[in-house]
Amino acid sequence: MNMSVDFPVDAKPAVVEPILSLRDINKWFNRGQSKEVHILKGVSIDLARAEVLVLLGPSGSGKSTLLRCMNLIAPPDSGTLHFAGKEWANDHPSRFNLPAQFARERKITELRSQIGMVFQQFNLFPHKTVLQNVMTGLLKVKGLGKAEARGLAMHELERVGLQQKADSRPSELSGGQKQRVAIARALAMKPQIMLFDEPTSALDPELREGVLEAMKQLAADGMTMVVVTHEMAFAREVGDRAIFMDQGVIVEQGDARKLVTQPDNPRTKAFLGSIL
């Protein structure tokens, strides 16, 4: 017996809200003698949960600045940011309004704790062990007890394959191992989004693979990620969507594999032709 299900003619597919939205983001930097440089020019992006977004473009195109705007290390000068249902705008409360200033700082700290970032340089404390480096944010920001922080830190070190280096100092590690410790430190905070700013650019070619494999596993586990990279093989294999930026604007975006292999915009083609 054939059975059919009738849906209301006005039924609409469920709208999936992005986890992060940036609208009309602008950022200026001073470059000496009061000269301002317009780094980001009205950039708008939506990031879906569990998406891997790859940012491509030449040096100075605004990619790293855009990452820093996403977790407010470099707050946008104008535009709005929506993250997990909350809005942030650069309202700059009066310095005499201490309650408003404290509320703003709490809001920024809360957002940064949920949007982890891994930089080109590892930024590890040289006087602390690997385990202590990973525990630091859990103790000082999350306010966890030492036993709980240690357990979470060891779990993340195991996740990146470095549990055996827990008692080592950063000076005893290779560059690739240091970067994986930096990833573990960010993951220990249980972020909803991970930002990567060219995480392999400071590494020798033979040391990159371990870092890239750790990132691939994060993507396979469903981590939402934004990655600035020149690793085109990673972009093709792991990226869901790619954005090409130049001179502070989005030039082209779309499916990562297609954009890397068959870009439409001449500027994108020229850039990829120069690095492939």
Side-chain angles (χ1 to χ4, degrees):
M1 179 174 62
N2 293 326
M3 299 182 63
S4 62
V5 179
D6 295 327
F7 293 95
V9 294
D10 60 345
K12 296 180 180 179
V15 176
V16 178
E17 290 292 330
I19 186 174
L20 177 69
S21 292
L22 292 90
R23 288 289 175 270
D24 198 25
I25 297 298
N26 286 273
K27 184 68 181 176
W28 288 264
F29 284 139
N30 291 322
R31 292 292 173 85
Q33 298 182 347
S34 300
K35 180 181 179 181
E36 285 196 328
V37 179
H38 199 176
I39 303 296
L40 295 175
K41 305 171 183 177
V43 175
S44 296
I45 289 177
D46 285 333
L47 181 66
R49 194 175 295 275
E51 180 180 23
V52 178
L53 175 62
V54 180
L55 300 182
L56 308 174
S59 297
S61 61
K63 309 181 302 297
S64 295
T65 300
L66 182 58
L67 280 193
R68 285 161 172 76
C69 285
M70 287 180 179
N71 72 347
L72 304 183
I73 289 178
D77 293 312
S78 67
T80 57
L81 181 152
H82 292 81
F83 171 65
K86 297 182 180 180
E87 179 178 313
W88 187 92
N90 202 351
D91 47 10
H92 289 299
S94 167
R95 63 189 180 93
F96 299 107
N97 189 345
L98 294 181
Q101 287 192 23
F102 290 148
R104 180 175 182 269
E105 289 302 318
R106 284 196 301 269
K107 193 172 181 181
I108 290 175
T109 299
E110 179 186 358
L111 182 142
R112 287 177 182 165
S113 71
Q114 297 183 67
I115 303 180
M117 188 160 182
V118 177
F119 301 89
Q120 297 178 34
Q121 302 300 325
F122 322 117
N123 299 324
L124 301 179
F125 296 110
H127 62 287
K128 293 179 180 287
T129 66
V130 164
L131 180 61
Q132 290 169 339
N133 267 279
V134 179
M135 289 174 61
T136 297
L138 297 172
L139 295 171
K140 294 188 175 181
V141 179
K142 294 284 190 180
L144 301 184
K146 286 187 177 181
E148 185 178 3
R150 179 184 177 87
L152 289 172
M154 285 300 298
H155 172 75
E156 297 303 340
L157 285 172
E158 184 175 358
R159 193 172 176 182
V160 298
L162 287 177
Q163 66 273 22
Q164 76 282 5
K165 296 291 185 178
D167 295 324
S168 300
R169 303 279 178 178
S171 61
E172 302 174 273
L173 305 180
S174 69
Q177 289 172 331
K178 291 176 185 177
Q179 193 61 290
R180 282 188 281 157
V181 172
I183 292 173
R185 179 178 58 188
L187 289 174
M189 301 296 288
K190 301 301 179 186
Q192 296 192 50
I193 300 173
M194 284 285 287
L195 309 177
F196 293 89
D197 188 7
E198 298 195 51
T200 60
S201 64
L203 303 178
D204 293 333
E206 63 269 23
L207 299 178
R208 294 176 183 170
E209 194 58 35
V211 175
L212 291 173
E213 284 301 319
M215 294 171 64
K216 290 176 185 178
Q217 187 57 54
L218 286 180
D221 291 343
M223 174 62 73
T224 307
M225 299 163 60
V226 184
V227 184
V228 172
T229 185
H230 288 256
E231 301 279 357
M232 293 300 105
F234 176 89
R236 289 193 303 269
E237 179 183 349
V238 183
D240 296 306
R241 183 162 53 104
I243 288 176
F244 175 73
M245 297 183 65
D246 192 22
Q247 298 184 32
V249 300
I250 294 175
V251 174
E252 182 175 356
Q253 63 179 304
D255 176 80
R257 181 178 292 274
K258 180 183 182 303
L259 190 144
V260 170
T261 57
Q262 295 178 305
D264 295 323
N265 190 280
R267 180 67 187 95
T268 313
K269 291 179 181 179
F271 171 76
L272 293 174
S274 71
I275 63 173
L276 293 176

